[in-house]
Amino acid sequence: MTKTIFITIFQGVEARNILRTDIYKELVGRPDVRLVLFTDSEEKRNYYQKEFNGPNVIYEVVGEYHARGIQKFFGAAKFNLINTATVDIKRDILFFKEHSYLKFYRRWLINRLFARNFVRRIVRWLDWRLVSDQFFKKYFDQYDPDLVLSAHLFGGTETAVIREARRRGVVSVGLINSWDKLTARAMIRLLPDWMIVHNDSVKKDAIIYADMPAGRIFVSGIPHFDRYKTGTRAPRDRFLQEIGLDPDKKTILYLPVGRAASDDDADMMKFFADLLSDKRLKFPTQLIFRFPPNDEIVAEGKFPNGVVIQTPGRRFSLKRGSDWDMNEDDFRILADTITSSDVVVGYPSTMMIDAAIFDKPVINIAYERRPHPRNFILWAYEVDHYRSVLNTGAVRLVKNDDELIDQLNAYFADPSSDREGRRRLVAEQCGAQDGKAGKRVADFLLNRI
């Protein structure tokens, strides 16, 4: 008998963690499994359908989800019901944007009074009992699914599909697709039957902040990192020559952060470009600027020889964060770029883990070239999930230009420095690096049905 699995693909990270991993490959290879993939636009459906298709794959485009009535109350309440350092920082950032003491202290008081386990349980019970939502009813009627997989449990659309699954007694599984979601986003309004997390640290967060029973959490490893174990890398000399760089020079990979967090990118890129002719660097050096796939980078002026700009991914809209995709070529180039670089320089992001996997020294910039009230990137070093990175000793923080240059020279001379910290970071965040995380997730899903 054919089993049907619903999978939501509304965000770029959902496609990265499911479609572009062995999760999809294992499931689509089963003739007794039918996959119904949900997207939120015709453009995305047409784009993904060209690559991910088959006789047992169906796409459905759902309309924009609009919360109504009491749903709006629960949709707003979820942002106040977890108490973390990250939530406190986000509240501070809102204050700098709004300059309203009334809103700031109101949010602070609500959070301190109600961000508790028993309150969340009451709110979830009321949410389940009081909200009538039939957004996914017609799809459940049509396909009669056996399992629902959602890789983003925090949005209204995903909450609607979990609600319909619960109403019908269909097994629901939530995949926490990033290390920061549980401490930075909001309370999960409706818990799935099962939760999949990447590592033991996120499992702990799921127990504390999502109130998920430990016995209902499966630790899988990171599926989209499987390719780092199973894939092959281009030789450094060949790759650098292909992108127009010199294999005999030291290579800095710099990762701009994006306009959503800082106005510093243009100035920092200019600083790095000028640094190529600065005699304080003890080795001939060249640069790769790799832009994020999900935010805007403004590069001013013309860069000299020895600077390469990479703009990965596909953007579906100008909306930051969700409407992007990176294909297999993008991931291959990313891996070859990291392995061909001598030092990775950037800000708090999962890219620091990517670098550590390949044992590349990492420098984090903890200062601003253009101080501005809307620059929030320095706050990111205080958030819950990134403090654990700093505690491993895998990353060196620099607080001015001189420190940055000194650390570049130090890592150029001895790239093995901080290797144990990088190993510790990979062990804590990635779990088993055996290239089988995607298969473990697929097997887990199949075992549920």
Side-chain angles (χ1 to χ4, degrees), residues 7-52:
I7 302 178
T8 58
I9 308 292
F10 299 129
Q11 296 197 341
V13 288
E14 291 177 292
R16 181 195 68 182
N17 281 274
I18 299 174
L19 293 185
R20 299 199 177 280
T21 69
D22 286 341
I23 299 174
Y24 173 81
K25 291 176 184 177
E26 292 287 330
L27 295 178
V28 79
R30 292 284 298 260
D32 58 338
V33 171
R34 176 175 63 171
L35 302 180
V36 182
L37 307 179
F38 291 89
T39 71
D40 55 7
S41 73
E42 293 285 349
E43 181 184 9
K44 287 183 183 178
R45 179 182 67 177
N46 295 337
Y47 171 81
Y48 288 122
Q49 199 168 32
K50 292 177 182 178
E51 185 174 355
F52 305 101

Side-chain angles (χ1 to χ4, degrees), residues 360-374:
K360 295 298 176 179
V362 175
I363 297 173
N364 274 173
I365 297 171
Y367 66 98
E368 297 173 335
R369 304 193 62 77
R370 186 190 298 185
H372 191 279
R374 69 167 297 280

